Amino acid sequence: MPEEKSFHLTPEEFRRQGRAVIDWIADYYEKIESFPVLSQVEPGQIRASLPHEPPPHGEAFEAVLKDVDNLIMPGITHWQSPNFFAFFPANTSGPSILGELLSAGLGVQGMLWATSPACTELETHVLDWVADMLGLPAKFKSDGAGGGVIQDSASSAALCAVLAARERATLFESNRRGCDGRLIAYCSAQTHSSVEKAVKVAGLGRENLRLIETDESLAMRADALAQQIRKDKEAGLIPCFVCATIGTTSSNAIDPIPDIGVLCNKEGLWLHVDSAMSGTAAICPEYRHINQGLELADSYCFNPHKWMFTNFDCDCFYVADRKTLIQTLSILPEYLRNKATESGAVIDYRDWHVPLGRRFRSLKLWFVIRHYGVEGLRHHIRRHIELAQNFAGWVRADEQFELCAPAPLNLVCFRHIAGDEFNQKLEERLNRSGKLYLTHTLLKNHYVLRFCIGQTHTEERHVRQAWQHIRQTAEEVRGSR
Ligand SMILES: *Cc1c(COP(=O)(O)O)cnc(C)c1O
């Protein structure tokens, strides 16, 4: 009898093609600077190049990989280019990529401890390591009442924090009957939009999110927060949640966590601290002061997938009291019942976030930490901050440009003195050149350029070239007017 066709890759083919993919990635990093950083395609261009119908018969792997080059690469914006200075970094590294590959190879779904004990226990262990690496308060570690969990994003972490705050404030009544419209949450006008989304999703209602004024440095005003909480209480409302930020997305402002924390503790509000990008800086003792007051927080998150060389997605979310979080999110249908869960001796991370299923994400983080060691991570974070500080110095020294906000770490907000329209044109022309990619924000109603340094391979020469190119392009914009 003839053998039936299996359609699968044989182990031999997998080895060969797997090596080809690793080579492809290595080649990519070697020539990454030759691509325009911002993809230059028009909307719809990538789809138009793809076949209308799916292939009826399997195709050769080589043909697929070739199409990655020909059809996909033009539509890639190169986040891993050392000339990427836009938004915030979403950096990665060799050990992270390999850890991710291994995680895909194992194909583990770690919803319960029992569905892969290593997936749960490595995560708990690595998150305790990370807490020590960043000097986080001991209460966030798993040997006390708290603990950490990997979420897909800071947005999901914020949602879990809002949900736990909601339940704590209503003694788990909201879980049973929904919100009654009286719960109030607070953040500043500079807080990341994910908090507004979390408040909407959690059913508090967007009108129940108070945007607290900021001061000259764009940090939340604790006195204004206190006043608003008082006003809301007098009106019979129930203040329950505050999000403070260490390193806002727009300008890297740092909210006064100690003052906000004392207030939240006194008034019984859940304090969530979002340090999505900047949190990584605390790995260096000289920047650890950014975490001042964190011992007063109920939850904290930062993203190794931004600035700690670990590819998306990987957000570390810590709570001081895991019982409240678990009680908020726990479900136990019959088909998930098992001895280990019932014994109470294990962590089931499905109760620590919204999805049930979960990937083995701690593997890549573990690879990164073991490869670089604390020393290696510190080295690169220090270098990025130093490069940003040099850049800020060049802006300060050039009378055509000005700084628009304090630059405490790796983000510099600046503009040309010729006004909003000029800066808009300058940004557009810079990004169209493909030589670098930067983005903008609005600060105090002015159009401001943001220059954020955090890509793994950004070196001094890239930052120097970028500054030269910015100055030269500004001259061209001036000339064309
Ligand atoms: C980037 C960022 C976020 C959103 O991060 P995701 O992980 O993409 O949800 C939230 N808060 C701050 C301060 C950020 O910088």
mmCIF file of all heavy atoms in Angstrom, residues 88 152-156 192 194 245 247-249 274-277 303 305-306 312 315, ligand 1:
data_model
loop_
_atom_site.group_PDB
_atom_site.id
_atom_site.type_symbol
_atom_site.label_atom_id
_atom_site.label_comp_id
_atom_site.label_asym_id
_atom_site.label_seq_id
_atom_site.Cartn_x
_atom_site.Cartn_y
_atom_site.Cartn_z
ATOM 1 N N PHE A 88 7.738 54.995 21.958
ATOM 2 C CA PHE A 88 8.568 54.438 23.030
ATOM 3 C C PHE A 88 9.214 53.219 22.399
ATOM 4 O O PHE A 88 8.724 52.711 21.398
ATOM 5 C CB PHE A 88 7.706 54.025 24.231
ATOM 6 C CG PHE A 88 6.409 53.411 23.808
ATOM 7 C CD1 PHE A 88 6.367 52.119 23.301
ATOM 8 C CD2 PHE A 88 5.226 54.132 23.867
ATOM 9 C CE1 PHE A 88 5.179 51.559 22.870
ATOM 10 C CE2 PHE A 88 4.031 53.567 23.430
ATOM 11 C CZ PHE A 88 4.018 52.278 22.933
ATOM 12 N N ASP A 152 -0.266 40.667 29.062
ATOM 13 C CA ASP A 152 0.134 41.000 27.697
ATOM 14 C C ASP A 152 0.565 42.453 27.572
ATOM 15 O O ASP A 152 1.409 42.777 26.747
ATOM 16 C CB ASP A 152 -0.980 40.665 26.691
ATOM 17 C CG ASP A 152 -2.310 41.319 27.017
ATOM 18 O OD1 ASP A 152 -2.366 42.171 27.936
ATOM 19 O OD2 ASP A 152 -3.301 40.985 26.347
ATOM 20 N N SER A 153 -0.013 43.338 28.364
ATOM 21 C CA SER A 153 0.295 44.755 28.189
ATOM 22 C C SER A 153 -0.014 45.542 29.450
ATOM 23 O O SER A 153 -0.742 45.063 30.335
ATOM 24 C CB SER A 153 -0.532 45.328 27.037
ATOM 25 O OG SER A 153 -1.905 45.281 27.395
ATOM 26 N N ALA A 154 0.513 46.765 29.503
ATOM 27 C CA ALA A 154 0.223 47.654 30.633
ATOM 28 C C ALA A 154 -1.262 47.990 30.662
ATOM 29 O O ALA A 154 -1.822 48.273 31.722
ATOM 30 C CB ALA A 154 1.050 48.931 30.524
ATOM 31 N N SER A 155 -1.909 47.950 29.490
ATOM 32 C CA SER A 155 -3.348 48.222 29.438
ATOM 33 C C SER A 155 -4.121 47.155 30.204
ATOM 34 O O SER A 155 -5.050 47.459 30.956
ATOM 35 C CB SER A 155 -3.835 48.242 27.986
ATOM 36 O OG SER A 155 -3.110 49.174 27.234
ATOM 37 N N SER A 156 -3.745 45.898 30.022
ATOM 38 C CA SER A 156 -4.412 44.816 30.746
ATOM 39 C C SER A 156 -4.126 44.911 32.242
ATOM 40 O O SER A 156 -4.997 44.607 33.067
ATOM 41 C CB SER A 156 -3.940 43.460 30.223
ATOM 42 O OG SER A 156 -4.360 43.294 28.895
ATOM 43 N N HIS A 192 -1.712 57.738 30.637
ATOM 44 C CA HIS A 192 -1.909 56.990 29.390
ATOM 45 C C HIS A 192 -3.392 56.664 29.174
ATOM 46 O O HIS A 192 -4.118 56.372 30.131
ATOM 47 C CB HIS A 192 -1.091 55.698 29.442
ATOM 48 C CG HIS A 192 -1.022 54.986 28.130
ATOM 49 N ND1 HIS A 192 -1.916 54.003 27.776
ATOM 50 C CD2 HIS A 192 -0.186 55.148 27.080
ATOM 51 C CE1 HIS A 192 -1.612 53.573 26.564
ATOM 52 N NE2 HIS A 192 -0.573 54.251 26.122
ATOM 53 N N SER A 194 -4.819 54.153 28.298
ATOM 54 C CA SER A 194 -5.254 52.815 28.706
ATOM 55 C C SER A 194 -6.081 52.855 29.990
ATOM 56 O O SER A 194 -6.912 51.968 30.222
ATOM 57 C CB SER A 194 -4.046 51.891 28.892
ATOM 58 O OG SER A 194 -3.117 52.458 29.783
ATOM 59 N N THR A 245 1.594 57.833 37.578
ATOM 60 C CA THR A 245 2.537 57.379 36.556
ATOM 61 C C THR A 245 3.969 57.779 36.894
ATOM 62 O O THR A 245 4.218 58.903 37.320
ATOM 63 C CB THR A 245 2.155 57.999 35.186
ATOM 64 O OG1 THR A 245 0.775 57.753 34.942
ATOM 65 C CG2 THR A 245 2.985 57.397 34.065
ATOM 66 N N GLY A 247 6.881 58.314 34.728
ATOM 67 C CA GLY A 247 7.314 58.409 33.330
ATOM 68 C C GLY A 247 6.129 58.374 32.382
ATOM 69 O O GLY A 247 5.876 57.360 31.726
ATOM 70 N N THR A 248 5.405 59.496 32.267
ATOM 71 C CA THR A 248 4.239 59.525 31.374
ATOM 72 C C THR A 248 4.678 59.326 29.930
ATOM 73 O O THR A 248 5.805 59.647 29.558
ATOM 74 C CB THR A 248 3.476 60.862 31.480
ATOM 75 O OG1 THR A 248 4.376 61.925 31.178
ATOM 76 C CG2 THR A 248 2.889 61.052 32.867
ATOM 77 N N THR A 249 3.748 58.811 29.128
ATOM 78 C CA THR A 249 4.049 58.516 27.735
ATOM 79 C C THR A 249 4.386 59.783 26.965
ATOM 80 O O THR A 249 5.333 59.820 26.182
ATOM 81 C CB THR A 249 2.825 57.849 27.086
ATOM 82 O OG1 THR A 249 2.386 56.806 27.952
ATOM 83 C CG2 THR A 249 3.171 57.265 25.737
ATOM 84 N N ASP A 274 1.749 53.122 37.250
ATOM 85 C CA ASP A 274 2.075 52.687 35.890
ATOM 86 C C ASP A 274 3.448 53.252 35.525
ATOM 87 O O ASP A 274 3.627 54.464 35.460
ATOM 88 C CB ASP A 274 0.986 53.220 34.944
ATOM 89 C CG ASP A 274 1.303 52.955 33.480
ATOM 90 O OD1 ASP A 274 2.297 52.252 33.188
ATOM 91 O OD2 ASP A 274 0.548 53.451 32.619
ATOM 92 N N SER A 275 4.395 52.361 35.302
ATOM 93 C CA SER A 275 5.734 52.804 34.918
ATOM 94 C C SER A 275 6.179 52.005 33.690
ATOM 95 O O SER A 275 7.293 51.474 33.636
ATOM 96 C CB SER A 275 6.700 52.613 36.082
ATOM 97 O OG SER A 275 7.919 53.273 35.815
ATOM 98 N N ALA A 276 5.261 51.933 32.729
ATOM 99 C CA ALA A 276 5.405 51.010 31.604
ATOM 100 C C ALA A 276 6.788 51.057 30.959
ATOM 101 O O ALA A 276 7.436 50.031 30.820
ATOM 102 C CB ALA A 276 4.321 51.273 30.566
ATOM 103 N N MET A 277 7.229 52.241 30.568
ATOM 104 C CA MET A 277 8.570 52.299 29.973
ATOM 105 C C MET A 277 9.636 52.546 31.034
ATOM 106 O O MET A 277 10.625 51.830 31.119
ATOM 107 C CB MET A 277 8.677 53.394 28.908
ATOM 108 C CG MET A 277 10.109 53.495 28.381
ATOM 109 S SD MET A 277 10.346 54.715 27.094
ATOM 110 C CE MET A 277 10.174 56.232 28.000
ATOM 111 N N ASN A 303 6.852 47.414 31.677
ATOM 112 C CA ASN A 303 6.929 46.546 30.496
ATOM 113 C C ASN A 303 8.369 46.188 30.123
ATOM 114 O O ASN A 303 9.046 47.009 29.513
ATOM 115 C CB ASN A 303 6.328 47.247 29.267
ATOM 116 C CG ASN A 303 4.833 47.447 29.342
ATOM 117 O OD1 ASN A 303 4.173 46.890 30.205
ATOM 118 N ND2 ASN A 303 4.309 48.233 28.431
ATOM 119 N N HIS A 305 8.832 44.575 27.766
ATOM 120 C CA HIS A 305 8.734 44.617 26.304
ATOM 121 C C HIS A 305 8.903 46.032 25.736
ATOM 122 O O HIS A 305 8.799 46.229 24.533
ATOM 123 C CB HIS A 305 7.443 43.954 25.801
ATOM 124 C CG HIS A 305 6.176 44.725 26.017
ATOM 125 N ND1 HIS A 305 5.036 44.151 26.502
ATOM 126 C CD2 HIS A 305 5.838 46.013 25.788
ATOM 127 C CE1 HIS A 305 4.054 45.044 26.561
ATOM 128 N NE2 HIS A 305 4.524 46.186 26.133
ATOM 129 N N LYS A 306 9.149 46.990 26.614
ATOM 130 C CA LYS A 306 9.479 48.307 26.077
ATOM 131 C C LYS A 306 10.986 48.525 26.101
ATOM 132 O O LYS A 306 11.590 48.753 25.080
ATOM 133 C CB LYS A 306 8.763 49.402 26.866
ATOM 134 C CG LYS A 306 7.342 49.619 26.365
ATOM 135 C CD LYS A 306 6.670 50.801 26.992
ATOM 136 C CE LYS A 306 5.378 51.100 26.243
ATOM 137 N NZ LYS A 306 4.457 51.898 27.054
ATOM 138 N N PHE A 312 7.848 42.038 22.639
ATOM 139 C CA PHE A 312 6.427 42.089 22.926
ATOM 140 C C PHE A 312 5.840 40.675 22.802
ATOM 141 O O PHE A 312 6.160 39.975 21.848
ATOM 142 C CB PHE A 312 5.759 43.040 21.925
ATOM 143 C CG PHE A 312 4.382 43.426 22.322
ATOM 144 C CD1 PHE A 312 4.157 44.520 23.130
ATOM 145 C CD2 PHE A 312 3.303 42.672 21.900
ATOM 146 C CE1 PHE A 312 2.874 44.862 23.510
ATOM 147 C CE2 PHE A 312 2.017 43.013 22.285
ATOM 148 C CZ PHE A 312 1.808 44.106 23.090
ATOM 149 N N ASP A 315 4.397 42.282 30.069
ATOM 150 C CA ASP A 315 4.203 43.310 31.087
ATOM 151 C C ASP A 315 4.240 42.637 32.452
ATOM 152 O O ASP A 315 3.564 41.622 32.656
ATOM 153 C CB ASP A 315 2.839 44.003 30.886
ATOM 154 C CG ASP A 315 2.430 44.841 32.103
ATOM 155 O OD1 ASP A 315 1.797 44.293 33.031
ATOM 156 O OD2 ASP A 315 2.763 46.039 32.119
HETATM 157 C C1 LIG B 1 3.278 52.476 26.615
HETATM 158 C C2 LIG B 1 2.542 52.835 27.839
HETATM 159 C C3 LIG B 1 1.339 52.204 28.163
HETATM 160 C C4 LIG B 1 0.668 51.201 27.263
HETATM 161 O O1 LIG B 1 1.408 50.066 27.191
HETATM 162 P P1 LIG B 1 0.811 48.700 26.590
HETATM 163 O O2 LIG B 1 1.672 47.675 27.223
HETATM 164 O O3 LIG B 1 0.985 48.802 25.125
HETATM 165 O O4 LIG B 1 -0.611 48.613 26.983
HETATM 166 C C5 LIG B 1 0.738 52.537 29.356
HETATM 167 N N1 LIG B 1 1.285 53.443 30.180
HETATM 168 C C6 LIG B 1 2.435 54.084 29.907
HETATM 169 C C7 LIG B 1 2.998 55.078 30.871
HETATM 170 C C8 LIG B 1 3.099 53.802 28.715
HETATM 171 O O5 LIG B 1 4.258 54.426 28.436
#
